[in-house]
Amino acid sequence: MHEQRADPGVPRRGLAGRRLAGHGPPWHGRFTRRTGRGDDDPGRYGSPARPGDPRPRSRRLPWPSTVVLAVVVMAGTNVAAHGQDREPLGLAARLLLLAAVAVLLVRHRHPVAAVAGTCAATLVYLGLGYPYGPVFLAVAVGCFSAIVSGHRAAAWWSLGTLWAGHLLAAHWLYRWLPPDGDGPAPWAQEAFVTAWVVAIVAAAELLRVRREQWAAARAEREAAEKRRADEERLRMARELHDVLAHSISVINVQAGVGLALLDSDPEQARTALTTIKSASKEALDEVRQVLENLRAPGDAPRAPAPGLDRLPELVDQAAAAGLTVTVESRRPLPRIPPGTDLAAFRIVQEALTNVVRHSGSRTALVRIAHGATHIELLVDDEGPATGDPAGGGGSGLVGMRERAAALGGTIDAGPRPDGGFRVAAELPLRPVRSGPTSPAERERRSGKSGEAP
C-alpha cells in the first residue's frame, strides 16, 4: 500500500507551468467554421440564391429550361410530322404546342396547374389530329414537377385523363375528328402510348423517392451535426466547470485565511496570498488550454491533458485549501487510456472540491484500485455537511456522471450512513464501442443517486 500525505497550510507548486497563446471566446469560430454557413445563409437549407436576387431559386420562373424545351418541341414536331398521315401543322397547332410548353413556366410555383394545363393542351392538340412528336416531353416535365413536389394525385389524374382522352379519340371519336377519312388507331400504338405513360409515372415516382431519401439523409446529417455541436458545448461547460471549481474553492478558502490573519499574522496572510496567486495562475493556464483546444480542434494539444499521474499536485492543492488527503493504491497503475485517465483525474478533483466546499471534515481518503478491465476510484470524507448539502442542485456530480457514462463506466455518489459523503466510480480500461444513447440508459449506467453540489 502506497500512501501520500500532505499537511495543510504548506504552499506547493500547483498545476501551473503551461503557457498557451490565444485569447477570446472560441464559440463563433468553433461552430461556424465547421459548416461555413450561418443561420441566415440562404444556401443552408436549399439552393443558394444569386447575389442581388432576394427571391429563392425555387421561386424564380425557369425561363432558360422552358425556352430550350419550347425550341425542342417546335423543331422536333416539324421533323416528326414528315411521314405521318395527320393534319398539317398550322397556326392553331403551333399555338397549342406553345401553350403546352408555356404553362410549364409556373411548374415550381403551381405544379398542379402546370401539369393539368400541359396535359389539357396536349389532349386538344392530339384530338385535332395533329402529328405526334416531342409534345410528350412537355407532359413528362409537368408530371415530374408535380410528383416530385408532392402532388402525386394531380399528376396521376392529369396523365390518366390524357391517356383516356387519347384512347377515346383514337377508337371512338375519330369519326367526327380530323383528319377526314381517318380510321381507328392500331392497338400496338396504344400499347406504346400506355407504356410511355407508365414509364413517365415510374420515373417520376423513383425520382420522388430518391429526393425524399436525399432530404432525409441531409436532415440526419444536420441533426448529427447539431448533436455534435451540443456535445461539444456540454464538454466545454463540463471541462471549464472542473477546471475552475477546484481552483476557485482554493482561492476562496485562502482569501478567508488571509483576511482573518491580515493583522494578527501578516506572514501567514502573505502565504495565503501566495497560494491565491498560484491557484489563479493555474486556473488561467488550464482555461487557456481548454479554449485553445476548442478554438483549433484539428491541432494537437500543446500540453498533455491531466491524468492520475498528476494526483500528487492535486493533493498539494487540496492541502493549500486546508484539506489533508490520503491516497491509497495497492499496486502501481497500468497504462490508462487518455480519456479514462482524464475522467478519473477530474472525478477525483471534483470530489475533493466538494469536500472543501461542503464538508466540515478536513481530511479525505482517495483509494485507487484496478482489475483487468476496470479502474475503481473511491473518495471518502468524514463529514458532516456544512452550508449547502452535498446533494444540492449544482452540476458537479452531474458532470462526474456524464464523464463516466460517456466512457461506459458507472458512478455512485451520496451520503454515508455515518454522516460523511462517498464518491465511488468504476471506469473501463478499454474504450467502449458505443456509449449510452438515451437519457434513461445513461442514468442506468451511471448509477444516478441524487443531484450534484
Side-chain angles (χ1 to χ4, degrees), residues 398-417:
V398 173
M400 291 187 196
R401 293 189 179 99
E402 289 172 350
R403 286 186 183 275
L407 295 169
T410 60
I411 191 166
D412 184 18
R416 301 189 316 184

Side-chain angles (χ1 to χ4, degrees), residues 2-3 7 22 61-62 77 90 153 155 165 205 295 350 388-389 405 450:
H2 305 282
E3 295 189 2
D7 296 330
L61 295 179
T77 303
E205 289 288 349
R295 184 177 291 111
E350 179 62 27
D388 295 335

Side-chain angles (χ1 to χ4, degrees), residues 324-385:
T324 300
V325 180
T326 301
V327 179
E328 296 182 357
S329 178
R330 297 185 180 278
R331 49 183 173 168
L333 293 176
R335 184 175 181 180
I336 304 175
T340 302
D341 204 16
L342 174 61
F345 178 83
R346 293 301 189 199
I347 288 173
V348 174
Q349 183 184 52
E350 179 62 27
L352 294 179
T353 300
N354 289 341
V355 175
V356 173
R357 296 171 59 189
H358 301 288
S359 176
S361 174
R362 294 297 87 193
T363 61
L365 171 65
V366 178
R367 182 177 292 118
I368 304 175
H370 66 87
T373 59
H374 288 79
I375 181 172
E376 298 176 358
L377 304 171
L378 182 70
V379 181
D380 264 329
D381 73 271
E382 301 296 332

Side-chain angles (χ1 to χ4, degrees), residues 86 92 96 117-130 162 177-178:
R86 306 282 288 177
L96 285 172
T118 190
C119 286
T122 303
L123 181 59
V124 174
Y125 172 86
L126 296 177
L128 293 179
Y130 294 116
L162 175 60
L177 295 174

Side-chain angles (χ1 to χ4, degrees), residues 206-221:
L206 178 61
L207 179 59
R208 178 187 63 82
V209 171
R210 291 300 302 271
R211 289 191 63 170
E212 289 179 352
Q213 292 175 346
W214 294 334
R218 183 170 60 252
E220 184 177 353
R221 287 194 301 270

Side-chain angles (χ1 to χ4, degrees), residues 250-276 320:
V250 173
I251 291 172
N252 181 66
V253 171
Q254 291 300 318
V257 172
L259 287 175
L261 301 177
L262 185 60
D263 296 328
S264 60
D265 193 347
E267 189 61 31
Q268 189 65 26
R270 181 187 299 274
T271 302
L273 291 175
T274 302
T275 304
I276 289 174

